[in-house]
Amino acid sequence: MCLVGNDVIDLAAGHNRGRAQNRRLVERTLTAAERGLLAADGDDDRSFARLWSAKEAAYKAVRKCVPALVFAPRRWQVELARCPDRAEDCEGSVMIAADMQVAVRWRQTNDWIHCVALLGGPPELFDEGVATAAEVGADGASSERERDGFTCAESGGVRTLAKRLLRRYGAGAVEIVRARIGAAHLPPRVYAGAAPMTGVDLSLSHDGRFVAAAIAMERRSIAPA
């Protein structure tokens, strides 16, 4: 089963501006090779966002099979395999460990960068989407079980986006739930009734004005409409 992670970055958000020039942040989060890439791009915030989003997305994917994984961005190397222009869609990978390389790809606009990480080979079915919080609603229509896993105002809206993607492939009445172990929330899962669906994985993210979702599925789990 392919595991998916994703991260969206609002390039206009104040907290994302000037990050490439923040030497303390750059030293703490990027490898020497990545700092070289950043310098070659003129210490550009978009370039930093590309590297940062890849590490975030890869972490979300890997943590599903290695729950004890600690987020250690400076130890992880991002490689750009295909990036013809820094403003175009790109492909690459994140090396988490010597035996764990996570494929990543980016979609980019003038407003946002969205990175998707795939662990375990290409999925049989895959989809992704980015929307503004206003497009999907700040809260969305969510069940009590879903709301128990909310962590912010965008939690409902990003679930609404993910459900739209799932409906393209025949998923009907589903819930996107973050189960708990004690006080900690697990990564989100797609539920159809009491149990999570097998062969279906998803990842949710939000930043600034935008929410994003990515889904990976086996054909036996959801038949295309």
Side-chain angles (χ1 to χ4, degrees):
M1 172 63 198
C2 179
L3 299 176
V4 62
N6 89 123
D7 191 57
V8 66
I9 293 182
D10 182 348
L11 295 170
H15 59 268
N16 292 324
R17 295 180 180 176
R19 299 183 86 188
Q21 291 80 41
N22 184 332
R23 303 322 302 172
R24 183 177 179 183
L25 174 65
V26 169
E27 290 284 341
R28 192 174 68 245
T29 58
L30 303 186
T31 67
E34 292 164 349
R35 294 195 296 272
L37 289 174
L38 188 64
D41 274 345
D43 292 333
D44 178 68
D45 282 338
R46 178 181 289 271
S47 295
F48 181 87
R50 185 187 299 120
L51 296 167
W52 177 259
S53 64
K55 293 171 191 259
E56 286 272 12
Y59 172 71
K60 289 181 180 180
V62 175
R63 184 171 170 264
K64 295 174 186 179
C65 62
V66 187
L69 181 69
V70 175
F71 186 61
R74 192 178 179 183
R75 299 179 185 176
W76 305 338
Q77 178 67 45
V78 178
E79 299 285 350
L80 300 178
R82 187 191 66 82
C83 197
D85 183 89
R86 68 186 186 90
E88 295 182 9
D89 295 351
C90 300
E91 296 176 358
S93 62
V94 181
M95 185 68 73
I96 298 291
D99 59 347
M100 185 172 291
Q101 187 173 17
V102 185
V104 295
R105 60 192 191 208
W106 298 264
R107 288 196 301 135
Q108 308 178 61
T109 71
N110 290 332
D111 297 318
W112 49 260
I113 287 178
H114 183 222
C115 184
V116 171
L118 298 173
L119 179 65
E124 293 180 332
L125 300 170
F126 173 80
D127 211 343
E128 63 182 293
V130 177
T132 65
E135 288 177 72
V136 293
D139 297 321
S142 302
S143 68
E144 181 177 350
R145 182 164 61 163
E146 289 175 311
R147 291 193 297 271
D148 182 62
F150 283 15
T151 58
C152 61
E154 293 79 14
S155 293
V158 72
R159 282 165 172 76
T160 297
L161 175 61
K163 290 175 185 177
R164 289 180 183 175
L165 298 178
L166 289 163
R167 280 197 296 271
R168 294 178 183 175
Y169 300 89
V174 298
E175 296 174 282
I176 298 174
V177 176
R178 294 190 70 187
R180 291 175 180 263
I181 294 182
H185 284 102
L186 297 177
R189 299 284 303 275
V190 180
Y191 279 66
M197 298 178 68
T198 60
V200 181
D201 193 45
L202 85 161
S203 178
L204 311 176
S205 64
H206 61 86
D207 186 51
R209 299 165 292 167
F210 300 102
V211 297
I215 55 175
M217 300 155 285
E218 297 176 356
R219 291 186 184 278
R220 63 177 177 83
S221 302
I222 299 180

